Each structure stands twice: as C-alpha cells, then as structure tokens.
Amino acid sequence: MLRSALSHYTQASRAIASSSLYPIAHLHTSAPLYIASERRRQIRGLKERQAAKRKEIAEGKAHVVLGTRPGDEVKWTSSDLGKVIITAEQIAAAPRPSLLMSENPRAPDFVNFGVGEAEKKLLFEVLPDLTLEASILTKGHSNQRVENNEPEMQRERYKTRLFTSLLDLRNANAGGIAFENRKRIVAEFSRPGQPNDTGLPEVQAAILTMRIRNVWDHLTKNRKDVMTRRNLRKLVHQRAKIMKYLKRLDRDRYVTVLGRLGLEAESVEGELVV
C-alpha cells in the first residue's frame, strides 16, 4: 500500500512539473563556449603576429627592439652608444688588479660608484703618498725619508689593495653596472656646454635604448617572463615617442642621433609590433 502511494505521488509530481510554466533549467554552456572561442582567437592572432615577424626578418627589415637589420650588428658595435656602454662580459674579461705585495697597486679598469678618471688618479696615486707621509710624521719619524720606510709602504700598499677590491665593478650587480652606463651616456650625449643635461631628447633616447637591450637580453634567457615582455613594449614605444618628438623639433638632430644609437628609422617610425 505504501509503495502504491509513493508511485501515485511521483506520477503527480511529474505531471505538475510538465505542466508548469517554467521548465527545468539545464546547464548553460554559452560562457564556456565563448571563453574557448576567445582563447582560440587569441592563439590565432598570436600565430599571425609571429608569422608577420618571421616575414619581416626574412625580408631584411629592421628589428623593432634592437633597431638593426639581420646580420648588420656592425651598425650597433660601431655606434657611439655601443662603444660607450660596458657589459658584464667586458668587465669579466678585464685584467684583475695584482695582489702581489712586491708590485704597486693599480686602479681597476672599471670602477664602481661613478668614479671618474680624475677621482681614480686622486684615490690611487695622490692619496696613498699623502697618507704615507702623514703616518710617518705622526709616529715622529720626520727625519726619515719616505722611500726608506719599507714597513709603512707595505702597509699602505695593503690598504690600497683592499680599497681597489672594494671599488672594482666586478662586485657590482646589474643595478651598479646600469648606473655606470647611465653616467657614461649622460656624459657622451649631453651638449658641450651642458655636461649633465639629462632632459635632452638624445640622452633620453640613449638611456631607453640601453634599457631595451638589457631587457631583451633578459628575455632571450627567460622567454616565459610575461611581465618583462610587457615592460619591453612600453620601453620601445617610449623611445619611438621621444624620437618622433625630436624629428618634429629638428630633423637633422633626429638623423644624427639615429646613427649614434645604431638604429634604423623603421624601428622608431610607423606601427611597432613587439
């Protein structure tokens, strides 16, 4: 009896549900289908852009990031910017300062913290002699010549070697090398009467080109760094914006700075696809 009652109740429920004005809602699949189609569209667009880049390279067009044509790296190495900046490979290949006590310490080829040639001469040639003379006078050996005081000279050489190892650019990170390169760029691309004019378009374009090449070297080793690739696009368009402004301001300066930066006009004009 109970079974028959349950059977009648189930049939009545089905009848009510079938006669209802609001049918049973099924799973809505439009959103997943839209997401899948959008993903396929993005992949198709990415493949088209990659094919366009390969076509440009095959046609010999200038690289949007590097600014040179394929196989024309001499344009970069012979440019003023390519000569003035230093790389980690050049720093590693430079001779190390001698650690022998019998030799006079020499300044490293690449010095950290923005030390120039005048500061190097002062720190490694003038200052040790003055310190040695002051040490001899302080200890009451005023009648003794500096050249004959070997213990004090050895002590001063040791201090200079420690100072040399501290100032060597090998101890710096990427930020320290970038700081030294920015200092060199500002000195090279500023006007003769204004040696520290960082707001000059030529200086700004040169600093951006250095940053673009550093980011490009990073991306060649870390291809999945999406955020850095986005920053690379911003830097490339910032450089193009500055170069377009310089072209409107003075076309002769624009043409000159293109050669000094090792760039082709195609890499800063028109639509730039990075």
Side-chain angles (χ1 to χ4, degrees):
M1 182 176 181
L2 179 61
R3 183 178 300 176
S4 61
L6 289 174
S7 176
H8 288 299
Y9 177 76
T10 304
Q11 292 177 359
S13 300
R14 290 176 179 174
I16 293 172
S18 61
S19 62
S20 175
L21 297 176
Y22 302 99
I24 299 175
H26 297 282
L27 179 63
H28 192 63
T29 60
S30 60
L33 289 176
Y34 173 77
I35 295 174
S37 62
E38 184 67 17
R39 180 59 179 169
R40 287 194 297 269
R41 188 183 65 81
Q42 292 178 357
I43 294 175
R44 185 167 60 252
L46 177 62
K47 290 181 178 179
E48 291 176 355
R49 290 194 297 270
Q50 291 176 349
K53 288 182 181 179
R54 289 193 295 267
K55 185 178 179 181
E56 289 181 359
I57 294 175
E59 293 176 355
K61 292 186 177 180
H63 199 282
V64 176
V65 177
L66 300 180
T68 57
R69 291 188 174 87
D72 192 17
E73 285 297 323
V74 180
K75 186 177 181 63
W76 162 251
T77 55
S78 61
S79 64
D80 292 344
L81 182 60
K83 293 177 182 178
V84 74
I85 65 174
I86 54 178
T87 61
E89 292 76 12
Q90 292 175 342
I91 297 172
R96 292 180 176 273
S98 177
L99 299 177
L100 299 177
M101 296 299 294
S102 58
E103 298 181 4
N104 292 325
R106 55 180 292 273
D109 294 342
F110 303 107
V111 187
N112 204 351
F113 304 114
V115 178
E117 293 298 327
E119 291 80 8
K120 285 171 64 174
K121 184 177 180 180
L122 178 64
L123 292 173
F124 295 99
E125 296 181 13
V126 179
L127 186 60
D129 294 340
L130 293 177
T131 307
L132 182 58
E133 292 178 5
S135 178
I136 293 173
L137 292 175
T138 303
K139 293 182 179 180
H141 302 292
S142 58
N143 57 350
Q144 187 176 4
R145 293 179 59 85
V146 176
E147 293 81 0
N148 298 330
N149 198 325
E150 188 62 27
E152 291 293 335
M153 293 179 65
Q154 292 289 345
R155 182 170 176 271
E156 194 58 36
R157 287 174 185 160
Y158 176 72
K159 289 164 58 179
T160 307
R161 285 187 180 85
L162 292 180
F163 190 60
T164 301
S165 62
L166 288 175
L167 288 183
D168 197 341
L169 199 56
R170 287 185 177 87
N171 301 325
N173 55 6
I177 298 174
F179 176 83
E180 177 66 21
N181 283 329
R182 283 195 297 270
K183 182 180 72 70
R184 290 167 171 250
I185 288 172
V186 171
E188 177 69 22
F189 286 86
S190 295
R191 294 172 180 173
Q194 301 174 350
N196 296 317
D197 190 2
T198 57
L200 203 65
E202 290 87 342
V203 176
Q204 293 293 320
I207 292 176
L208 284 173
T209 302
M210 179 201 70
R211 293 178 60 189
I212 287 170
R213 283 192 166 262
N214 290 341
V215 174
W216 179 258
D217 292 339
H218 171 78
L219 283 176
T220 54
K221 302 172 185 176
N222 305 275
R223 296 182 179 275
K224 295 184 179 181
D225 194 346
V226 180
M227 185 59 67
T228 304
R229 190 175 298 276
R230 178 177 176 270
N231 294 334
L232 177 65
R233 295 192 188 99
K234 292 173 62 177
L235 291 174
V236 169
H237 286 89
Q238 286 178 10
R239 181 178 65 181
K241 185 177 180 180
I242 291 177
M243 295 298 293
K244 290 175 183 177
Y245 164 75
L246 184 60
K247 185 178 181 181
R248 294 194 305 268
L249 185 66
D250 192 338
R251 188 175 182 84
D252 293 336
R253 288 171 58 187
Y254 167 77
V255 175
T256 302
V257 78
L258 279 177
R260 297 188 67 188
L261 298 181
L263 300 176
E264 297 288 347
E266 303 170 5
S267 61
V268 295
E269 295 179 357
E271 184 179 0
L272 304 179
V273 181
V274 183

